[in-house]
Amino acid sequence: MSKRQLAMVMDLNKCIGCQTCTVACKVQWTNRNGRDYMYWNNVETAPGKGYPKNWQESGGGWEGSVLKDGKIPSLANDYGMPVQLNYEQALFAGTDPWLKATNDPAWTPNWDEDEGAGEFPNSYHFYLPRICNHCTNPACLAACPRGAIYKREEDGIVLVDQSRCRGYRHCVVACPYKKVYFNPLFNRSEKCIFCYPRVEQGIPPACAKQCVGRIRHVGFLDDEAGPVHKIVVKWKAALTLRPDFGTEPNAYYVPPLSSPKFDAEGKPTAEPRIPVAFLEKLFGPRVGEVLGLLEAERSKKARGEESELMDLLIAYRQEEMFKIR
Amino acid sequence: MNRTVLATLAGIVIPSLLIVGTAPAEGARRAKGDPTSVLTRNGEVVMAARVAGEMPTDPGDGRFENANPLTVRLYPQVAAEPRAEKGVVREAAVRAIHTEAWIAFLVEWADPDRSDVKQGTTDTFADAAALQFPLKYGEAADRLPYVGMGGPERPVNIWLWRNGGGGGPASLKATGFGTLEPVAGGGAMTAGKWENGRVRVLFARSFGASSPEEVKFAPKQIGLVPVALAVWGGEKGERGGLKTLSGWRFVKFDGGKVSPAYVRSFGWNPKIRGDAKTGETLMMRHGCAGCHVYPGNPIPTKIGPGLAGIGGIHRPGYLFESLKDPSAVIVPHKNYYSLKDGQPVSIMAPFSGPERDAYHIVEFLRTLK
């Protein structure tokens, strides 16, 4: 465990799946040199298979104090070969009238975007942005026989030391979120670095700073004046993804409320559209309690009363979402 | 190994044990004869054949026909995490040729499923092979480095071939599990060929090294060089510690000098031989089974190194010492020691049972191969 922990809270009630975070990250870090397929930040549709395909069933994580076995996703089948377009032929040489893909991928990020689950009028989905969780008990770190992965004392950011990594990929196997990616060009594993060069200068990670929906708060868990402490510790309004994996993530989610389900006559019922059981699988047993809290605070605000939690989540001023010093 | 202890022990007559006359330490004793003859008899010597011409660049180089191959048994690496529970390649043939200026090895094994790194994949691994040499050898080096990646103060130089290349320079150094690093400015020629279901890998280098962190050859001064082999079956996901390895073997140059003291430093058999069956029972009684995985032990414990294959990888002298004085050579992995006054101390306690039990246990460990 590190001395301090920088964490991120993502409010799923506000995520519109616009992928601005994904693009911000990609442009900053992963648009070249064997990283084309990597999405250190991705936004997937839940329910869905996600990216890489079926990552939730890919193994890894902890069973007590023992690492669980897992699989290494394949580029062709589980990530999907990045799509290449025939720019040259279609736009310059003029030999092809159509701009189109030159390969036939089996999967890509957002392959199952907006599919969700359920039957009309009770179909449902929400967006799930994912970064490396910079876990308190990182399975990737434990799995590396070379000690090439480390967790920084000062902020808990988990990094792969590129000079120590030899591309064995035990970390890829061990990460239950499949947020460590193998770079086939350099024979090394790479992952989200929580934009530490930005953070060191007091600038939030690109995904958070660029988020147009203002869903991402960044701060130290122990900083009582910071937004993350207030949402996670004081209000207990945020939960981690798949806590059953045992790695103790430091990316937190405010779970999504949903519109009521309709009955056979088309009348709204008291049941939420997104089944609580589904959310419990993703975010653990406290989901119901947190949804209740959100509902209560939201109606306070609707009645014109004060709600610190709602004010935090609304994020009137973007600067107030980040406190990283 | 501690020679005084052994010498004393050898003098004690323990009735239930078989005292072996000449078998064990003979290489060391017979100063007049060739001190390496016992190694040859044990099938541990690769005889380097003298040839002429330039350093080979092709595993198919005809001059290797002049060299006798040594068949080397390989055992799954189970001493440190992650452990190679199965192990793909279990046997390889090693040949060596040399001139005044260079040495070349040909390593060959059967492999029906060739595996190279497929360009742009995330989940494939390459077949690979490596030769390992002690950085220092000869009489001045009092003992061989730990065969699994060397150890503190006993660095090894590793020449690595990976099918399809990649993985950086071919010359590496290590001082224990997890410490492998490229030798800056170092180099060794490697080339592999897959033909008729067999992989043939060439390793070659001039006698002199381009870095002080690389092994040197000077057969006129020292005519016997320790070498160990590791092979990775990439198609079964072997990489890093998931591999099979041999015990120390020895390349011998004709006419090179080899002193008996040097051969003695490899660690010899305890003079007394025990009974393996008794040893197996004693492994349970003395609690070894509570920390070590080995065939026949139902307890799935990984506190200490796995012992499967240990009789094939290590010399009996080393095994004996591992019992009597575990901290003399600590298997170089962070899980296996604690620090006491800044000194690493094995978490395995020295064997405190009767002397004869140690011999029985060593005899059992020797059968694990």
Side-chain angles (χ1 to χ4, degrees), chain A residues 37 72-79 81 142-147 163-164 166-170 173 182-187, chain B residues 81-82 118-125 160 162 166-169 172 177-182 239-242 333-334:
Chain A
Y37 86 93
I72 303 176
S74 102
L75 184 52
N77 302 319
D78 302 315
Y79 299 108
M81 281 293 179
C144 180
R146 295 179 51 75
S163 67
R164 301 256 334 121
R166 286 189 60 82
Y168 296 156
R169 286 160 265 178
H170 297 297
V173 173
F182 175 66
N183 185 325
L185 200 59
F186 298 141
N187 192 41
Chain B
E81 299 299 324
K118 289 169 197 77
Q119 277 308 308
T121 61
T122 49
D123 59 345
T124 61
F125 297 92
L160 174 68
R162 262 178 110 230
L172 304 123
F177 291 108
T179 65
L180 189 69
E181 262 183 69
R239 77 277 195 189
L242 304 178
H333 188 269
K334 58 180 165 43

Side-chain angles (χ1 to χ4, degrees), chain B residues 203-214:
Chain B
F203 296 88
R205 219 204 59 195
S206 57
F207 279 170
S210 50
S211 157
E213 294 179 309
E214 291 183 299

Side-chain angles (χ1 to χ4, degrees), chain A residues 112-144:
Chain A
D112 55 356
E113 188 172 33
D114 291 2
E115 278 181 21
E119 287 297 317
F120 180 83
N122 288 320
S123 47
Y124 61 93
H125 76 263
F126 61 93
Y127 298 109
L128 181 66
R130 301 203 302 123
I131 62 170
C132 163
N133 287 305
H134 297 276
C135 302
T136 298
N137 187 19
C140 60
L141 186 154
C144 180

Side-chain angles (χ1 to χ4, degrees), chain B residues 315-339:
Chain B
R315 291 164 168 278
Y318 171 87
L319 299 177
F320 190 76
E321 184 193 66
S322 291
L323 254 70
K324 301 290 290 178
D325 186 8
S327 297
V329 175
I330 299 175
V331 177
H333 188 269
K334 58 180 165 43
N335 295 355
Y336 294 154
Y337 64 87
S338 59
L339 288 176

